Coordinates of all heavy atoms in Angstrom, one line a residue:
M30 N 114.9 104.1 99.1 CA 115.1 104.9 100.4 C 115.5 104.0 101.5 O 115.5 104.4 102.7 CB 113.7 105.4 100.7 CG 113.1 106.4 99.7 SD 111.5 107.1 99.9 CE 111.7 108.1 101.3
G31 N 115.9 102.8 101.2 CA 116.5 101.9 102.2 C 115.4 101.3 103.1 O 115.8 100.7 104.2
K32 N 114.2 101.3 102.8 CA 113.1 100.7 103.7 C 112.5 99.5 103.1 O 111.6 99.0 103.7 CB 111.9 101.8 103.7 CG 112.4 103.1 104.4 CD 111.2 104.0 104.7 CE 111.7 105.2 105.5 NZ 110.7 105.9 106.0
S33 N 113.2 98.8 102.1 CA 112.8 97.5 101.7 C 114.0 96.6 101.6 O 115.1 97.0 101.5 CB 112.1 97.7 100.3 OG 111.8 96.4 99.7
N34 N 113.6 95.4 101.8 CA 114.8 94.4 101.6 C 115.1 94.1 100.2 O 116.0 93.3 99.9 CB 114.5 93.1 102.4 CG 113.3 92.4 101.9 OD1 112.7 92.8 100.8 ND2 112.8 91.3 102.6
G35 N 114.2 94.6 99.3 CA 114.6 94.4 97.8 C 113.9 93.3 97.2 O 113.9 93.1 95.9
Q36 N 113.3 92.4 98.0 CA 112.7 91.2 97.4 C 111.2 91.5 97.1 O 110.6 92.4 97.7 CB 112.6 90.1 98.6 CG 113.8 89.2 98.5 CD 113.6 88.0 99.5 OE1 113.0 88.1 100.5 NE2 114.1 86.8 99.0
C37 N 110.8 90.8 96.1 CA 109.4 91.0 95.7 C 108.5 90.4 96.8 O 108.7 89.4 97.4 CB 109.1 90.1 94.4 SG 107.4 90.0 94.0
H38 N 107.5 91.2 97.1 CA 106.6 90.9 98.2 C 105.5 89.8 97.8 O 104.9 89.2 98.8 CB 106.0 92.1 98.8 CG 106.9 93.0 99.5 ND1 107.5 92.8 100.6 CD2 107.5 94.2 98.9 CE1 108.4 93.8 101.0 NE2 108.4 94.6 99.9
F39 N 105.4 89.6 96.6 CA 104.4 88.6 96.1 C 105.1 87.2 96.0 O 104.6 86.3 96.6 CB 103.9 89.0 94.7 CG 102.9 90.2 94.7 CD1 103.3 91.4 94.1 CD2 101.7 90.2 95.4 CE1 102.4 92.4 94.0 CE2 100.9 91.3 95.4 CZ 101.2 92.4 94.8
C40 N 106.1 87.1 95.3 CA 106.7 85.7 95.1 C 107.8 85.4 96.1 O 108.2 84.2 96.3 CB 107.2 85.5 93.7 SG 108.6 86.6 93.3
K41 N 108.5 86.5 96.6 CA 109.5 86.4 97.7 C 110.8 85.6 97.1 O 111.6 85.1 97.9 CB 109.1 85.7 99.0 CG 107.8 86.1 99.4 CD 107.7 86.5 100.9 CE 106.4 86.9 101.5 NZ 106.1 88.3 101.3
N42 N 110.9 85.5 95.8 CA 112.0 84.8 95.2 C 112.9 85.7 94.5 O 114.0 85.5 94.2 CB 111.6 83.7 94.3 CG 111.0 82.5 95.0 OD1 111.3 82.3 96.1 ND2 110.0 82.0 94.4
E43 N 112.3 86.8 93.8 CA 113.0 87.7 92.9 C 113.2 89.1 93.5 O 112.6 89.5 94.4 CB 112.3 87.8 91.6 CG 111.9 86.5 91.0 CD 113.1 85.8 90.3 OE1 114.0 86.6 89.9 OE2 113.2 84.6 90.1
I44 N 114.2 89.8 92.9 CA 114.4 91.1 93.3 C 113.3 92.0 92.7 O 112.9 91.8 91.5 CB 115.8 91.7 92.8 CG1 116.9 90.8 93.3 CG2 116.0 93.3 93.0 CD1 117.1 91.0 94.8
E45 N 112.7 92.8 93.6 CA 111.6 93.6 93.1 C 112.1 94.8 92.2 O 113.0 95.5 92.6 CB 110.9 94.2 94.2 CG 109.6 95.0 93.8 CD 108.9 95.6 95.1 OE1 109.3 96.5 95.7 OE2 107.8 95.0 95.4
S46 N 111.5 94.9 91.1 CA 111.8 96.1 90.2 C 110.5 96.4 89.6 O 109.5 95.7 89.8 CB 112.8 95.7 89.0 OG 112.1 94.8 88.2
L47 N 110.5 97.6 88.9 CA 109.2 98.0 88.3 C 108.6 97.0 87.3 O 107.5 96.7 87.3 CB 109.5 99.3 87.5 CG 108.4 100.1 87.0 CD1 107.5 100.7 88.1 CD2 108.8 101.3 86.2
M48 N 109.5 96.4 86.5 CA 109.1 95.4 85.5 C 108.7 94.2 86.2 O 107.7 93.5 85.8 CB 110.1 95.1 84.3 CG 110.4 96.4 83.5 SD 108.9 97.2 82.9 CE 108.2 95.9 81.8
H49 N 109.4 93.8 87.1 CA 109.0 92.5 87.9 C 107.7 92.6 88.6 O 106.9 91.8 88.5 CB 110.1 92.1 88.9 CG 109.8 90.8 89.7 ND1 110.0 89.6 89.1 CD2 109.1 90.6 90.8 CE1 109.5 88.6 89.9 NE2 109.0 89.3 91.0
L50 N 107.5 93.8 89.2 CA 106.3 93.9 90.0 C 105.1 94.0 89.2 O 104.0 93.4 89.5 CB 106.3 95.3 90.9 CG 105.1 95.6 91.6 CD1 104.9 94.6 92.8 CD2 105.4 97.0 92.3
F51 N 105.1 94.7 88.0 CA 103.9 94.9 87.2 C 103.9 94.0 86.0 O 102.8 93.9 85.4 CB 103.9 96.3 86.7 CG 103.7 97.3 87.7 CD1 104.6 98.3 88.0 CD2 102.6 97.3 88.6 CE1 104.3 99.3 89.0 CE2 102.3 98.2 89.5 CZ 103.3 99.2 89.8
Y52 N 104.8 93.1 85.7 CA 104.9 92.3 84.6 C 105.4 90.9 84.6 O 104.8 89.9 84.3 CB 105.5 93.0 83.3 CG 105.2 92.3 82.0 CD1 104.0 92.5 81.4 CD2 106.2 91.4 81.5 CE1 103.7 91.9 80.1 CE2 105.9 90.9 80.3 CZ 104.7 91.0 79.7 OH 104.5 90.4 78.4
R53 N 106.5 90.8 85.2 CA 107.3 89.6 85.2 C 107.0 88.6 86.4 O 107.3 87.4 86.3 CB 108.8 89.9 85.1 CG 109.3 90.5 83.9 CD 110.7 90.8 83.9 NE 111.0 91.7 82.7 CZ 112.1 92.4 82.6 NH1 113.0 92.5 83.7 NH2 112.2 93.2 81.5
C54 N 106.5 89.1 87.4 CA 106.3 88.3 88.7 C 105.3 87.2 88.3 O 104.2 87.5 87.7 CB 105.8 89.0 89.8 SG 105.6 88.0 91.2
H55 N 105.6 85.9 88.6 CA 104.6 84.8 88.2 C 103.3 84.9 89.0 O 102.3 84.4 88.6 CB 105.2 83.4 88.4 CG 105.5 83.0 89.9 ND1 106.6 83.4 90.6 CD2 104.7 82.3 90.6 CE1 106.4 82.9 91.7 NE2 105.3 82.2 92.0
K56 N 103.3 85.6 90.2 CA 102.1 85.8 90.9 C 101.2 86.8 90.1 O 100.0 86.9 90.4 CB 102.3 86.3 92.3 CG 103.1 85.4 93.1 CD 102.2 84.3 93.8 CE 103.0 83.5 94.7 NZ 102.2 82.6 95.4
I57 N 101.7 87.7 89.3 CA 101.0 88.7 88.5 C 100.7 88.2 87.1 O 99.6 88.6 86.6 CB 101.8 90.0 88.4 CG1 102.1 90.5 89.9 CG2 101.2 91.1 87.7 CD1 100.9 90.9 90.7
K58 N 101.5 87.3 86.6 CA 101.3 86.9 85.3 C 99.8 86.4 85.0 O 99.3 86.6 84.0 CB 102.3 85.8 84.9 CG 103.6 86.3 84.4 CD 103.6 86.6 83.1 CE 105.0 86.9 82.5 NZ 105.0 87.6 81.3
H59 N 99.4 85.5 85.9 CA 97.9 85.0 85.6 C 96.8 86.0 85.7 O 95.9 86.0 85.0 CB 97.7 83.9 86.7 CG 97.3 84.3 88.1 ND1 98.3 84.7 88.9 CD2 96.2 84.6 88.7 CE1 97.7 85.0 90.0 NE2 96.5 85.1 89.9
V60 N 97.1 87.2 86.5 CA 96.2 88.3 86.5 C 96.2 88.9 85.0 O 95.3 89.3 84.4 CB 96.6 89.3 87.5 CG1 95.5 90.5 87.4 CG2 96.3 88.6 88.9
L61 N 97.5 89.1 84.5 CA 97.6 89.8 83.2 C 97.0 88.9 82.1 O 96.4 89.4 81.1 CB 99.1 90.1 83.0 CG 99.8 91.1 83.9 CD1 101.3 91.2 83.6 CD2 99.1 92.5 83.8
D62 N 97.2 87.6 82.2 CA 96.6 86.7 81.3 C 95.1 86.8 81.2 O 94.5 86.8 80.2 CB 97.1 85.2 81.5 CG 98.5 85.1 81.3 OD1 99.1 85.9 80.5 OD2 99.1 84.0 81.7
E63 N 94.5 86.9 82.4 CA 93.1 87.0 82.5 C 92.6 88.4 81.9 O 91.7 88.5 81.2 CB 92.7 86.9 84.0 CG 91.2 86.8 84.2 CD 90.6 85.5 83.5 OE1 91.3 84.5 83.5 OE2 89.4 85.8 83.1
L64 N 93.4 89.5 82.2 CA 93.1 90.8 81.7 C 93.1 90.7 80.1 O 92.3 91.2 79.5 CB 94.1 91.8 82.2 CG 93.8 93.2 81.7 CD1 92.5 93.8 82.3 CD2 94.9 94.1 82.2
K65 N 94.2 90.1 79.6 CA 94.3 90.0 78.1 C 93.1 89.3 77.6 O 92.5 89.6 76.6 CB 95.6 89.2 77.8 CG 96.0 89.3 76.4 CD 97.5 88.9 76.2 CE 98.0 87.8 77.1 NZ 99.3 87.3 76.8
H66 N 92.6 88.1 78.2 CA 91.6 87.4 77.8 C 90.3 88.3 77.8 O 89.4 88.1 76.8 CB 91.3 86.2 78.7 CG 90.2 85.3 78.3 ND1 90.1 84.6 77.2 CD2 89.1 85.2 79.0 CE1 88.9 83.9 77.2 NE2 88.2 84.3 78.4
I67 N 90.1 89.1 78.9 CA 88.9 89.9 78.9 C 88.9 91.0 77.9 O 87.9 91.3 77.2 CB 88.8 90.5 80.3 CG1 88.5 89.4 81.4 CG2 87.8 91.7 80.4 CD1 88.8 89.9 82.8
F68 N 90.1 91.5 77.6 CA 90.3 92.6 76.6 C 89.9 92.0 75.2 O 89.2 92.5 74.5 CB 91.7 93.2 76.6 CG 92.0 94.2 77.6 CD1 93.3 94.7 77.7 CD2 91.0 94.7 78.3 CE1 93.6 95.6 78.6 CE2 91.4 95.8 79.2 CZ 92.6 96.2 79.4
N69 N 90.5 90.7 74.9 CA 90.2 90.2 73.6 C 88.7 89.8 73.5 O 88.2 90.0 72.3 CB 91.1 89.0 73.5 CG 92.6 89.3 73.3 OD1 92.9 90.4 72.9 ND2 93.4 88.4 73.7
S70 N 88.0 89.5 74.5 CA 86.6 89.1 74.3 C 85.8 90.4 74.3 O 84.8 90.4 73.5 CB 86.1 88.1 75.4 OG 86.2 88.9 76.7
I71 N 86.0 91.4 75.0 CA 85.3 92.6 75.0 C 85.5 93.5 73.6 O 84.6 93.9 73.0 CB 85.6 93.6 76.2 CG1 85.0 93.0 77.4 CG2 85.1 94.9 75.9 CD1 85.5 93.8 78.7
F72 N 86.7 93.6 73.3 CA 87.1 94.4 72.2 C 87.3 93.7 70.8 O 87.6 94.2 69.8 CB 88.4 95.3 72.5 CG 88.3 96.1 73.6 CD1 89.0 95.9 74.8 CD2 87.3 97.2 73.6 CE1 89.0 96.6 75.9 CE2 87.2 98.0 74.7 CZ 88.0 97.7 75.9
E73 N 87.1 92.3 70.9 CA 87.2 91.4 69.8 C 88.4 91.8 69.0 O 88.4 91.9 67.7 CB 85.8 91.7 68.9 CG 84.7 91.1 69.7 CD 83.4 91.4 68.8 OE1 83.4 92.0 67.8 OE2 82.3 90.9 69.3
K74 N 89.5 91.9 69.6 CA 90.9 92.0 69.0 C 91.9 91.1 69.6 O 91.6 90.6 70.7 CB 91.5 93.5 69.2 CG 90.6 94.6 68.5 CD 91.4 95.8 68.9 CE 90.7 97.1 68.2 NZ 91.3 98.4 68.6
N75 N 92.9 90.8 68.9 CA 93.9 89.9 69.5 C 95.0 90.9 70.2 O 96.0 91.2 69.6 CB 94.6 89.0 68.5 CG 95.5 88.1 69.1 OD1 95.4 87.8 70.3 ND2 96.5 87.4 68.4
I76 N 94.7 91.3 71.4 CA 95.6 92.2 72.1 C 96.7 91.4 72.8 O 96.5 90.4 73.4 CB 94.8 92.9 73.3 CG1 93.5 93.6 72.8 CG2 95.7 93.7 74.1 CD1 93.8 94.8 72.0
V77 N 97.9 91.9 72.5 CA 99.0 91.3 73.1 C 99.7 92.3 74.0 O 100.1 93.4 73.6 CB 100.2 91.0 71.9 CG1 101.4 90.4 72.6 CG2 99.5 90.1 70.9
L78 N 99.6 92.1 75.3 CA 100.1 93.0 76.3 C 101.6 92.6 76.5 O 102.0 91.6 77.0 CB 99.3 92.8 77.6 CG 98.0 93.3 77.6 CD1 97.3 93.1 79.0 CD2 97.8 94.7 77.3
V79 N 102.5 93.6 76.2 CA 103.9 93.4 76.4 C 104.3 94.3 77.6 O 103.4 95.2 78.0 CB 104.7 93.7 75.1 CG1 104.4 92.6 74.1 CG2 104.5 95.1 74.6
E80 N 105.5 94.3 77.9 CA 106.0 95.1 79.1 C 105.7 96.5 78.9 O 105.3 97.1 79.9 CB 107.6 94.8 79.3 CG 107.8 93.3 79.8 CD 109.3 93.2 80.0 OE1 110.1 94.0 79.5 OE2 109.7 92.2 80.6
E81 N 106.0 97.1 77.7 CA 105.8 98.5 77.5 C 104.4 98.9 77.7 O 104.1 100.0 78.2 CB 106.2 98.9 76.1 CG 107.7 98.7 75.8 CD 108.0 97.3 75.4 OE1 107.3 96.7 74.6 OE2 109.0 96.7 75.9
N82 N 103.5 98.0 77.4 CA 102.0 98.4 77.5 C 101.7 98.6 79.1 O 100.9 99.4 79.4 CB 101.1 97.3 77.0 CG 101.2 97.1 75.5 OD1 101.3 95.9 75.1 ND2 101.4 98.2 74.8
L83 N 102.2 97.7 79.9 CA 102.0 97.9 81.3 C 102.6 99.2 81.9 O 102.1 99.6 82.9 CB 102.5 96.7 82.1 CG 101.5 95.4 82.1 CD1 100.4 95.8 82.9 CD2 101.1 94.9 80.7
I84 N 103.7 99.7 81.2 CA 104.3 100.8 81.8 C 103.7 102.1 81.1 O 103.4 103.1 81.8 CB 105.8 100.8 81.6 CG1 106.4 99.5 82.3 CG2 106.6 102.1 82.1 CD1 106.1 99.4 83.8
I85 N 103.7 102.1 79.8 CA 103.3 103.4 79.2 C 101.9 103.3 78.5 O 101.4 104.3 78.0 CB 104.4 103.8 78.1 CG1 104.5 102.8 77.0 CG2 105.7 104.2 78.8 CD1 105.4 103.3 75.8
G86 N 101.3 102.1 78.5 CA 100.0 102.1 78.0 C 100.0 101.4 76.5 O 101.0 101.1 76.0
V87 N 98.8 101.1 76.0 CA 98.6 100.5 74.8 C 98.3 101.6 73.8 O 97.5 102.5 74.0 CB 97.3 99.6 74.9 CG1 97.1 98.9 73.5 CG2 97.5 98.5 75.8
Y88 N 99.0 101.5 72.6 CA 98.9 102.5 71.6 C 98.9 101.9 70.2 O 99.8 101.2 70.0 CB 99.8 103.7 71.8 CG 99.7 104.8 70.7 CD1 98.6 105.7 70.7 CD2 100.5 105.0 69.7 CE1 98.4 106.7 69.9 CE2 100.5 105.9 68.8 CZ 99.3 106.8 68.9 OH 99.2 107.8 67.9
E89 N 98.0 102.2 69.4 CA 98.0 101.5 68.1 C 97.9 102.6 66.9 O 97.3 102.3 65.9 CB 96.6 100.6 68.0 CG 96.8 99.4 68.9 CD 95.5 98.5 68.8 OE1 94.4 99.1 68.5 OE2 95.7 97.3 69.0
G90 N 98.5 103.6 67.1 CA 98.6 104.6 66.0 C 97.5 105.7 66.1 O 97.7 106.8 65.5
E91 N 96.5 105.4 66.7 CA 95.5 106.5 66.9 C 94.8 106.3 68.3 O 94.8 105.0 68.8 CB 94.4 106.4 65.8 CG 93.7 105.1 65.7 CD 92.5 105.1 64.6 OE1 91.6 105.8 64.7 OE2 92.7 104.3 63.7
I92 N 94.2 107.3 68.8 CA 93.6 107.2 70.1 C 92.1 106.9 69.9 O 91.3 107.7 69.3 CB 93.8 108.5 70.9 CG1 95.3 108.6 71.2 CG2 93.0 108.4 72.2 CD1 95.6 110.0 71.8
T93 N 91.6 105.8 70.4 CA 90.1 105.4 70.2 C 89.6 105.2 71.7 O 90.4 105.2 72.6 CB 90.0 104.1 69.5 OG1 90.7 103.0 70.2 CG2 90.7 104.2 68.1
E94 N 88.3 105.2 71.6 CA 87.7 105.0 73.0 C 88.1 103.7 73.6 O 88.2 103.5 74.8 CB 86.1 105.1 72.9 CG 85.7 106.5 72.8 CD 84.2 106.6 72.6 OE1 83.5 105.6 72.8 OE2 83.7 107.7 72.3
D95 N 88.2 102.7 72.7 CA 88.7 101.3 73.2 C 90.0 101.4 73.9 O 90.2 100.8 75.0 CB 88.7 100.3 72.1 CG 87.3 99.9 71.5 OD1 86.3 100.3 72.2 OD2 87.2 99.2 70.5
L96 N 90.9 102.1 73.3 CA 92.3 102.2 73.8 C 92.2 103.0 75.1 O 93.0 102.7 76.1 CB 93.2 102.8 72.8 CG 93.7 102.0 71.6 CD1 94.6 102.7 70.7 CD2 94.4 100.7 72.2
L97 N 91.5 104.0 75.2 CA 91.5 104.9 76.4 C 90.9 104.0 77.5 O 91.4 104.1 78.7 CB 90.5 106.0 76.2 CG 90.9 107.1 75.3 CD1 90.0 108.3 75.1 CD2 92.3 107.8 75.9
L98 N 89.9 103.1 77.3 CA 89.3 102.2 78.3 C 90.4 101.2 78.7 O 90.5 101.0 79.9 CB 88.1 101.6 77.8 CG 87.3 100.6 78.8 CD1 86.9 101.5 80.0 CD2 86.1 100.1 78.1
M99 N 91.1 100.6 77.7 CA 92.1 99.6 78.1 C 93.2 100.3 78.9 O 93.6 99.7 80.0 CB 92.8 99.2 76.8 CG 92.1 98.0 76.1 SD 93.2 97.3 74.9 CE 92.0 97.7 73.4
N100 N 93.6 101.5 78.6 CA 94.7 102.2 79.4 C 94.2 102.5 80.8 O 94.9 102.5 81.8 CB 95.2 103.3 78.6 CG 96.1 102.9 77.5 OD1 96.9 102.0 77.6 ND2 95.9 103.5 76.3
L101 N 92.9 102.8 80.9 CA 92.3 103.2 82.1 C 92.3 101.9 83.0 O 92.7 101.9 84.3 CB 90.9 103.7 82.1 CG 90.1 104.0 83.4 CD1 90.8 105.1 84.2 CD2 88.7 104.3 83.1
V102 N 91.9 100.8 82.4 CA 91.9 99.6 83.2 C 93.3 99.1 83.6 O 93.6 98.7 84.8 CB 91.1 98.4 82.4 CG1 91.4 97.0 83.1 CG2 89.7 98.7 82.2
I103 N 94.3 99.3 82.7 CA 95.6 99.0 83.0 C 96.1 99.9 84.2 O 96.8 99.4 85.2 CB 96.6 99.1 81.8 CG1 96.3 98.0 80.9 CG2 98.0 99.1 82.1 CD1 96.9 98.2 79.5
C104 N 95.8 101.1 84.2 CA 96.2 102.0 85.3 C 95.6 101.7 86.7 O 96.3 101.6 87.6 CB 95.8 103.5 85.0 SG 96.9 104.3 83.8
I105 N 94.4 101.3 86.5 CA 93.7 100.8 87.8 C 94.3 99.4 88.3 O 94.5 99.3 89.5 CB 92.2 100.6 87.6 CG1 91.5 101.9 87.3 CG2 91.5 99.9 88.7 CD1 90.1 101.9 86.8
L106 N 94.6 98.5 87.4 CA 95.3 97.3 87.7 C 96.6 97.6 88.4 O 96.9 96.9 89.5 CB 95.4 96.4 86.6 CG 96.2 95.1 86.8 CD1 95.4 94.1 87.8 CD2 96.5 94.4 85.5
K107 N 97.4 98.5 87.8 CA 98.7 98.8 88.5 C 98.5 99.4 89.8 O 99.3 99.1 90.8 CB 99.5 99.7 87.6 CG 100.0 99.1 86.3 CD 101.0 100.0 85.6 CE 100.5 101.2 85.1 NZ 101.4 101.9 84.2
W108 N 97.6 100.2 90.0 CA 97.2 100.9 91.3 C 96.8 99.7 92.4 O 97.4 99.7 93.5 CB 96.0 101.8 91.3 CG 95.7 102.5 92.6 CD1 94.5 102.3 93.1 CD2 96.5 103.3 93.3 NE1 94.5 102.9 94.4 CE2 95.7 103.7 94.5 CE3 97.8 103.8 93.3 CZ2 96.3 104.5 95.4 CZ3 98.3 104.6 94.2 CH2 97.5 105.0 95.3
V109 N 96.0 98.8 92.0 CA 95.6 97.6 92.8 C 96.8 96.8 93.1 O 97.0 96.4 94.3 CB 94.5 96.8 92.1 CG1 94.3 95.5 92.9 CG2 93.2 97.6 92.1
I110 N 97.6 96.5 92.2 CA 98.9 95.7 92.4 C 99.8 96.4 93.5 O 100.2 95.9 94.3 CB 99.7 95.4 91.1 CG1 98.9 94.5 90.2 CG2 101.1 94.9 91.5 CD1 99.5 94.4 88.8
W111 N 100.0 97.8 93.2 CA 100.8 98.5 94.2 C 100.2 98.6 95.6 O 100.9 98.4 96.5 CB 101.0 99.9 93.6 CG 101.7 100.9 94.5 CD1 101.4 101.9 95.2 CD2 103.2 100.8 94.7 NE1 102.3 102.5 95.9 CE2 103.5 101.7 95.7 CE3 104.2 99.8 94.3 CZ2 104.9 101.9 96.1 CZ3 105.5 100.0 94.8 CH2 105.8 101.0 95.7
K112 N 99.0 98.8 95.7 CA 98.3 98.8 97.0 C 98.3 97.4 97.7 O 98.5 97.3 98.8 CB 96.7 99.2 96.9 CG 96.6 100.7 96.4 CD 97.3 101.7 97.4 CE 96.5 102.0 98.6 NZ 97.0 103.0 99.4
T113 N 98.1 96.4 96.9 CA 98.3 95.0 97.5 C 99.6 94.8 97.9 O 99.9 94.2 99.0 CB 97.8 94.0 96.4 OG1 96.5 94.3 95.9 CG2 97.8 92.6 96.9
R114 N 100.7 95.1 97.1 CA 102.1 94.9 97.5 C 102.4 95.7 98.8 O 103.0 95.1 99.7 CB 103.0 95.6 96.3 CG 104.4 95.5 96.6 CD 104.9 96.9 96.8 NE 106.4 97.0 97.0 CZ 106.9 97.8 97.9 NH1 106.1 98.5 98.7 NH2 108.3 97.8 97.9
N115 N 101.8 97.0 98.9 CA 102.1 97.6 100.2 C 101.3 97.0 101.4 O 101.9 97.0 102.5 CB 101.7 99.1 100.0 CG 102.6 99.9 99.0 OD1 103.8 99.5 98.9 ND2 102.1 100.9 98.4
Y116 N 100.2 96.5 101.2 CA 99.5 95.8 102.1 C 100.2 94.6 102.7 O 100.3 94.4 103.9 CB 98.0 95.4 101.7 CG 97.3 94.6 102.7 CD1 96.7 95.3 103.8 CD2 97.1 93.4 102.7 CE1 95.9 94.7 104.8 CE2 96.4 92.6 103.6 CZ 95.8 93.2 104.6 OH 95.0 92.7 105.6
I117 N 100.7 93.8 101.7 CA 101.5 92.6 102.1 C 102.8 93.0 102.8 O 103.2 92.3 103.8 CB 101.9 91.8 100.8 CG1 100.6 91.2 100.2 CG2 102.9 90.7 101.2 CD1 100.9 90.6 98.8
K118 N 103.4 94.1 102.4 CA 104.7 94.5 103.1 C 104.4 94.9 104.4 O 105.1 94.6 105.4 CB 105.3 95.7 102.3 CG 106.6 96.2 102.8 CD 107.1 97.3 102.0 CE 108.4 97.8 102.7 NZ 108.9 99.1 102.3
Ligands
ZN225 ZN1 107.6 88.4 92.3

């Protein structure tokens, strides 16, 4: 809509894109690493969060309560990232 300069509002070094904002930005990476650590300790699985998981969610062939909870937390995290980005802007 032409209302942004295109730069990431977190790191101010890269072009903001969906993947950069929610996954690739180094300011977000440590949050994702912490989330992965929490998931692994709560669900006692070796969860590997890849880019697709942050966009479309985690799916392992069947829908379980654990996966629903993980996907809910991921959605909330993305909402918080988006609201924080807008606040910084
Ligand atoms: Zn960035």
Side-chain angles (χ1 to χ4, degrees):
M30 298 178 75
K32 294 189 175 191
S33 175
N34 62 7
Q36 272 191 322
C37 173
H38 296 283
F39 289 116
C40 68
K41 313 230 186 279
N42 291 329
E43 302 286 335
I44 299 297
E45 185 181 73
S46 67
L47 193 64
M48 294 312 296
H49 180 82
L50 180 63
F51 292 122
Y52 190 80
R53 295 180 186 154
C54 182
H55 73 272
K56 298 276 188 174
I57 299 300
K58 276 278 192 195
H59 72 279
V60 176
L61 297 176
D62 289 343
E63 191 61 34
L64 180 66
K65 192 168 32 176
H66 177 74
I67 292 169
F68 279 171
N69 288 338
S70 63
I71 291 174
F72 301 114
E73 297 176 352
K74 293 180 179 180
N75 187 20
I76 303 292
V77 178
L78 291 176
V79 294
E80 291 179 345
E81 295 83 44
N82 299 136
L83 273 294
I84 301 302
I85 61 172
V87 179
Y88 182 69
E89 294 178 329
E91 62 180 294
I92 298 172
T93 63
E94 288 182 5
D95 289 354
L96 286 179
L97 289 174
L98 183 59
M99 273 188 244
N100 286 318
L101 176 63
V102 171
I103 289 170
C104 283
I105 293 169
L106 175 65
K107 288 193 296 188
W108 178 247
V109 170
I110 291 170
W111 179 249
K112 294 299 280 184
T113 305
R114 174 252 187 222
N115 291 337
Y116 178 78
I117 292 169
K118 183 180 174 189

